[in-house]
Amino acid sequence: MTSTVDESNRYEQPLPADREQLGEPRLPRWHWRRLLRGRVRPLLAAGLAGMLLGVGGMAWQTQAGPFAPDEVCWGALSRDDLAPVFREPEDVKAVEAPVLGDHSEGPTGNCQLTNSDGDEWALTARVHQLNDRAGDNSKWVDEFLSARLTPLGGGLLGMASDNRAWLAIPDGCLGRPGTLDGPTVVDIARGDWISDLEPRTEDRDWMARVVVKLVNKVSADLGCTGTTADPVERLPKAARYTRTEKPDALCGVKGLTLGKKRKPDQYPMITDGHGPVRTCDRDITGSQPEQRLMTVEDPRLAALFSRMTLNQGDRVHSDFGFGGLGPNLGIFEARCQAGPTVFLVQANESGMSADLRTLFPRYVAAEAARLGCGPLNLELPRPSGSR
């Protein structure tokens, strides 16, 4: 006699393959419900899961939506770091290209931050090497070596203003650049270039703090040791227009004059503090000043002007360097105690070539004397059209 357990198990045995359960109609061989049975169902489920993960991965790459991380720009900046300048830091969207260290011209990467409403005060951060191989660095020089920027001091190769900042990755991390290459820097730009207003110290301090955090994170990711300290405590107040300029000390350079005690019409803004460059910008109404007098004291930045120094205008002769003079630009490179140093006088308005020709040799002589690499007495080419 069969036991109760055996009787029960008899009804739990699977039906033969050629039979269907009662109440279920016979399905065609390729019906979708047949296809979802057996091994196909888990494969489809895995595919769907992969697709969802792919969507999530894209959101992470653009760092938007519910997958937005607390840290942005290569993990260097927290949402709290963004609060001083972004209205809704928790909604800031970050679009990043990772920092790649195997580029032929050094590490490269970029990051852009914008408010969810497309706030015009976006912030863009870049990692790139400065060089003049393509001859297209004039925009960077105009904006990031402006008199509006304050040197970060403390031996740092970098500067900051209320809308631009840059800092070189330490030489100990990537090695010193070649003689024709500039350093690898992290630079940040906030909004459009503004140059005709008095700089704002609080915003300048924020930019300085942010660019240091970015350099520390990028350096660590590149396998470098050591960190740069917050520079804000040692910074002077942001630059201001100089309204006490003397006619015989234009741009604060003693003995520099246009002759006959003539004074330019507009007050200058002059770099405040000792740093890689000393810039004097006059009548700043756009991305370029009407007139710029600049001394590039750091040899690592002098490489940015190599092409310009060799190719600009007619040749300027001297036993202690080389340069050129054109209608709106005079440039000369000399070897000073610290290494190659560049002197530049630029006029961006028509009708200023005579003033340029007067100021250029006097400025080079005065600045070379200040830096201890004079005397530099330049022999200028004949004026255009003269015999």
Side-chain angles (χ1 to χ4, degrees):
M1 184 174 179
T2 307
S3 67
T4 304
V5 175
D6 292 338
E7 188 71 21
S8 173
N9 288 340
R10 184 167 64 90
Y11 292 102
E12 294 178 358
Q13 297 302 314
L15 294 174
D18 60 344
R19 295 180 58 187
E20 300 288 348
Q21 296 182 6
L22 293 176
E24 182 175 349
R26 183 180 299 272
L27 298 175
R29 187 178 184 89
W30 298 106
H31 194 278
W32 65 272
R33 289 174 63 183
R34 283 185 178 273
L35 292 176
L36 288 179
R37 293 175 182 171
R39 297 181 180 180
V40 178
R41 185 179 298 176
L43 290 176
L44 290 177
L48 178 60
M51 182 177 66
L52 292 176
L53 286 174
V55 173
M58 181 61 70
W60 180 85
Q61 287 290 333
T62 59
Q63 299 194 358
F67 296 100
D70 291 333
E71 290 79 25
V72 295
C73 286
W74 316 301
L77 306 178
S78 69
R79 299 287 167 168
D80 289 340
D81 291 330
L82 306 182
V85 297
F86 287 96
R87 293 191 302 270
E88 298 176 345
E90 67 279 2
D91 293 331
V92 167
K93 177 183 177 182
V95 179
E96 300 182 15
V99 178
L100 302 177
D102 57 353
H103 192 270
S104 60
E105 296 180 2
T108 59
N110 60 72
C111 171
Q112 185 176 49
L113 303 178
T114 54
N115 272 335
S116 56
D117 59 356
D119 184 7
E120 64 180 25
W121 291 104
L123 183 139
T124 300
R126 298 182 300 167
V127 181
H128 61 114
Q129 185 184 47
L130 301 176
N131 60 60
D132 194 34
R133 295 175 186 173
D136 58 357
N137 66 352
S138 59
K139 186 176 186 296
W140 193 92
V141 169
D142 285 343
E143 297 185 8
F144 287 91
L145 298 184
S146 160
R148 192 178 186 89
L149 282 81
T150 305
L152 297 181
L156 299 179
L157 180 56
M159 307 178 77
S161 74
D162 48 5
N163 52 36
R164 296 292 185 272
W166 64 275
L167 177 60
I169 295 176
D171 289 345
C173 180
L174 298 177
R176 198 172 180 88
T179 56
L180 297 179
D181 293 323
T184 297
V185 303
V186 175
D187 62 40
I188 54 176
R190 179 184 168 210
D192 295 331
W193 174 241
I194 297 175
S195 55
D196 58 345
L197 303 175
E198 295 281 7
R200 302 175 294 277
T201 299
E202 289 185 2
D203 289 352
R204 187 276 315 267
D205 292 351
W206 183 85
M207 294 285 285
R209 186 170 286 120
V210 164
V211 78
V212 166
K213 288 188 175 185
L214 290 171
V215 166
N216 283 336
K217 184 60 168 64
V218 170
S219 298
D221 289 347
L222 292 173
C224 307
T225 59
T227 59
T228 299
D230 188 328
V232 171
E233 291 298 325
R234 63 172 173 263
L235 296 182
K237 291 184 178 180
R240 292 289 183 269
Y241 287 101
T242 302
R243 305 187 185 280
T244 57
E245 185 184 37
K246 298 179 181 179
D248 60 347
L250 301 183
C251 289
V253 179
K254 186 177 181 180
L256 183 62
T257 175
L258 283 169
K260 298 181 180 180
K261 302 295 183 179
R262 186 163 70 86
K263 185 176 180 179
D265 296 333
Q266 301 293 329
Y267 292 112
M269 181 179 289
I270 305 171
T271 302
D272 192 353
H274 179 72
V277 300
R278 183 184 188 276
T279 303
C280 172
D281 287 334
R282 191 183 301 277
D283 193 14
I284 312 167
T285 57
S287 63
Q288 289 184 326
E290 178 181 302
Q291 186 182 80
R292 169 171 286 183
L293 284 71
M294 181 166 67
T295 301
V296 185
E297 299 184 31
D298 195 295
R300 291 168 291 181
L301 286 183
L304 297 182
F305 301 87
S306 57
R307 181 185 298 270
M308 189 184 303
T309 306
L310 292 169
N311 300 328
Q312 171 64 35
D314 298 324
R315 293 295 82 198
V316 173
H317 299 286
S318 171
D319 294 335
F320 303 101
F322 56 93
L325 177 65
N328 64 345
L329 178 69
I331 187 168
F332 189 82
E333 179 178 315
R335 182 163 292 278
C336 295
Q337 294 177 353
T341 303
V342 171
F343 308 96
L344 178 147
V345 178
Q346 184 176 10
N348 293 313
E349 282 200 358
S350 59
M352 299 183 67
S353 58
D355 285 354
L356 173 67
R357 190 175 180 86
T358 298
L359 284 177
F360 177 51
R362 295 178 181 181
Y363 178 73
V364 172
E367 283 290 89
R370 177 178 70 86
L371 296 176
C373 50
L376 279 179
N377 299 312
L378 304 187
E379 182 182 343
L380 301 184
R382 290 179 178 273
S384 177
S386 63
R387 295 183 178 179

